[in-house]
Amino acid sequence: MKRLTSALLLAAVTLAACGTAPAVEEAAPASLTWAVETQPITLNPQQWSQNKVRLLVFNQFDALLSRAKDGSFQPWLARSWKVSDDELTYTLELRDDVTFHDGTRFDAAAVKANLDQFKVEGYNTAVAAIQLRAFEQAEVVSPTTLRITLKEPDGLFLDFLASPYAGQISPKSLKSAKDLKFGGPDLVGTGPFILDRYVPGQEIHYRRNPAYKWPPAGAAHQGPAHLAEITYRFLPEAAVRVGALTSGQVQVIEGVPATEAGLIKSDPDLTLRTALNSGTAFTYYFNTSHPPFDDQRVREAFRAAVDVDAVLKSVYQDTATRAWSVIGKASPFYDAGLEGSFGGDVAQANALLDQAGWRQRDAEGYRVKDGRRLSVRTVAASAYVRDRRDVLAQAIQAQVKQNAGIDFQVKIVDTGTAQQAVEDDAYEIFENSRGDSDAGAALNLLLPGKGALNRTHYSDAGVEKAIAEAGSSSDQARRAKLYAEVQRIVVRDKAIVFPIYVPADQIAARKSVRGLGFDPASGTPASAYDVRIET
């Protein structure tokens, strides 16, 4: 903040009158209130799973590397790194001036403790199986040098080091935290803010870390954060968030609905920014383990019965980007050749269902076969429902009924109930988008037969071979070619997935709030480190 407050000006005049030259200083750091759409399931960065919680994680924790807008890796807590010619050894040179919020020193032993934590059974099995599948061991060479050995080359390892999963936690708090899986105030990081209050269902509060002086490369300033404190209020209802902003109860909101974008743009005191997310598109994954989606004709018919452009226009008023692949358009691995390859053909949808034996209709107009209605269910956890996805599902529900006689049942439930549905195989559609900065990490989770998030129960040797080869390569052109093959199989050839839209994040704020932006790796709102308030 460049302007002096009136109090400081008065002090300066008084000191000048006494013959003492005043020191030029900034106004006292301000406080900010920010309304967010999604309440965190966890505040432990190494358990991170909600794309929208990324901004909270990087307030409290720092990763070893960062990513620039061009996708290149940049220094953060690691000053530099070297990769051996065989791509099996990574040597990190660490900063020597970093301390955790509990006063303990950040060093190579701390990084080793964080990496070894993933080897603890049940800590994060998905990350252990994907991002750290090749991790062999970490050795402390010196307080500022760590040597990491991999079992095999891994093209995703640097991305892991730049992700929230590599958020560094004080080894002391790794052992003493009351609820390690969730995190919270007793889980300690090195970040620009210190989490000191969490009220479930209401808010989370951070105060500035006065010792902070190690931002990632590319940060807009150095030293501690501009803000003295920041409060994030959990306001899941879009209209409530917008109302809180326009009434001055909060200064920033994210998750701006399309219905309110015009209102914000027309207000001279407000600003609106948006960015596409990286990773995977919001996609319906068809469960092929039982009827009706064990039949490819039914999968193709469901997609053909939906006019995606019309649905997106209705729900998002021309603000949503249509998806044509499981990988989002913001990814360098996106295969544009899939555009126009499915959807919006009612005649085709009905012909396919007739061929599949769903020829009869019941009194309500739904197709039936052997006395059974053509019903499919999506069971979504409420904690992951963003961007009016519940409204989107209802629009799709209406279209597949009207256009093809499909009974699409939409169930929004708590996380435990959703997980139980997965375990019981009591669903036909699994809806998901992931914000991994490298889409390959998401594909590893979602598509291989034994992938931790494979909810399609579909397994294809070609898909698994291509994903494995791409994951072990550092050649981006080769990886793009392999991932294009994967996309063509699951989208066009086998119709395992139904891509719908590319998630985006929006930030609306009072014009006095400066320094807001998006994480270049993910397209989600960046942390509050560079945010300031100008008076």
Side-chain angles (χ1 to χ4, degrees), residues 263-284:
L263 172 66
I264 292 171
K265 290 178 181 179
S266 65
D267 191 325
D269 294 324
L270 302 178
T271 61
L272 178 65
R273 302 169 177 85
T274 186
L276 290 179
N277 293 170
S278 61
T280 58
F282 178 67
T283 299
Y284 281 0

Side-chain angles (χ1 to χ4, degrees), residues 54-96:
R54 196 180 185 111
L55 78 160
L56 302 179
V57 167
F58 280 141
N59 276 339
Q60 187 180 5
F61 301 93
D62 299 318
L64 295 166
L65 306 180
S66 64
R67 296 196 80 160
K69 289 183 179 180
D70 64 1
S72 63
F73 294 97
Q74 303 290 331
W76 199 346
L77 293 184
R79 293 185 186 276
S80 63
W81 61 95
K82 292 181 180 179
V83 183
S84 62
D85 291 341
D86 61 6
E87 299 185 11
L88 296 180
T89 304
Y90 289 67
T91 304
L92 307 184
E93 296 298 332
L94 308 174
R95 296 186 66 119
D96 61 1

Side-chain angles (χ1 to χ4, degrees), residues 117-198:
Q117 182 64 38
F118 285 98
K119 291 187 172 183
V120 175
E121 185 174 357
Y123 182 63
N124 192 328
T125 55
V127 171
I130 303 299
Q131 287 90 343
L132 289 178
R133 62 179 177 79
F135 175 58
E136 176 72 28
Q137 64 177 353
E139 303 171 87
V140 176
V141 178
S142 75
T144 57
T145 305
L146 185 75
R147 181 186 300 121
I148 300 171
T149 305
L150 304 184
K151 302 171 188 176
E152 59 186 81
D154 186 355
L156 294 171
F157 190 66
L158 284 178
D159 183 71
F160 165 81
L161 297 180
S163 74
Y165 297 126
Q168 295 299 291
I169 300 172
S170 161
K172 180 180 177 181
S173 70
L174 278 174
K175 296 178 180 178
S176 63
K178 296 175 183 177
D179 186 347
L180 179 58
K181 284 288 189 80
F182 175 75
D186 59 344
L187 201 64
V188 175
T190 63
F193 292 93
I194 299 168
L195 171 60
D196 60 9
R197 185 173 73 249
Y198 172 68

Side-chain angles (χ1 to χ4, degrees), residues 256-265 272 308-322 387-388 391-392 395 501 506:
V256 180
T259 52
E260 305 293 343
L263 172 66
I264 292 171
K265 290 178 181 179
L272 178 65
V308 176
D309 291 325
V311 166
L312 295 181
K313 183 175 182 178
S314 170
V315 177
Y316 301 113
Q317 299 184 5
D318 290 327
T319 64
T321 299
R322 178 169 182 174
D387 303 344
R388 306 183 79 212
V391 179
L392 173 65
Y501 77 95
Q506 309 83 24

Side-chain angles (χ1 to χ4, degrees), residues 453-471:
L453 289 179
N454 184 326
R455 304 291 185 251
T456 65
H457 299 288
Y458 171 80
S459 179
D460 181 278
V463 167
E464 297 192 10
K465 182 175 183 293
I467 288 176
E469 290 182 7

